[in-house]
Amino acid sequence: CDLQLTRLQVRQVLLGQIRNFQQLGCSPLPIRPVVRGDDSGTTANLLRFLQPPAGGWHLPQARAVDSNEAMATALAQQPGALGYLDSVYLVGRQGLRAAALETATGQFRRPDRASVQMALQQWPQRRGDAYPLVTPSWIAVSRTGLGPKAAVLRQALRYGLSPEGQQEAAVLGYEELPPALLHQAQQLTEKIQP
């Protein structure tokens, strides 16, 4: 099935209002929602997209897992499973495919390279035909109090933000940072002190 979902349909699946893929234009198969049971950036990004109801989510029918790796495994092994994970966990996995989501302009896009790059260039806004579930990965670092580790940390971050480091990230399935975010990260890296 070429699954295309609106924001409302994703909400309805998670709320148990849509329970079968047939309701989404696919062959009949019960939907088995899989969610993260831990706090995760992936979940936070999904909730920003969905704008959860005032009372929060109550998903008694959903299976909870504790990592992207566990999510990928659950999605691959359970017929009818529908969940969310970082797109890098789709790389090299047979049987997993991202649904196309409705963009701000009403088009449906999968997280392909062009759509993800467009989203990163607009981040934190969600507009245009960019895939709507994109967020950069962040590293939280104290700017002070690191002692001799500060120099080693700056060196590692400089590499990750260098052209070579960005190419390595792309090999792993991550997208290269657009110039504005890359410049911002490079400036913050240089503020790390002992």
Side-chain angles (χ1 to χ4, degrees), residues 79-102:
L82 186 63
Y84 56 95
L85 54 94
D86 288 344
S87 61
V88 297
Y89 289 89
L90 294 172
V91 175
R93 292 196 188 257
Q94 299 297 321
L96 290 184
R97 185 171 178 210
L101 295 180
E102 186 177 30

Side-chain angles (χ1 to χ4, degrees), residues 58-115:
H58 304 286
L59 310 169
Q61 76 284 6
R63 175 181 174 190
V65 296
D66 289 330
S67 68
N68 276 308
E69 186 65 38
M71 176 69 74
T73 300
L75 294 174
Q77 292 177 348
Q78 184 175 19
L82 186 63
Y84 56 95
L85 54 94
D86 288 344
S87 61
V88 297
Y89 289 89
L90 294 172
V91 175
R93 292 196 188 257
Q94 299 297 321
L96 290 184
R97 185 171 178 210
L101 295 180
E102 186 177 30
T103 68
T105 62
Q107 302 298 312
F108 288 90
R109 295 287 304 257
R110 284 189 168 63
D112 59 38
R113 185 164 192 184
S115 185

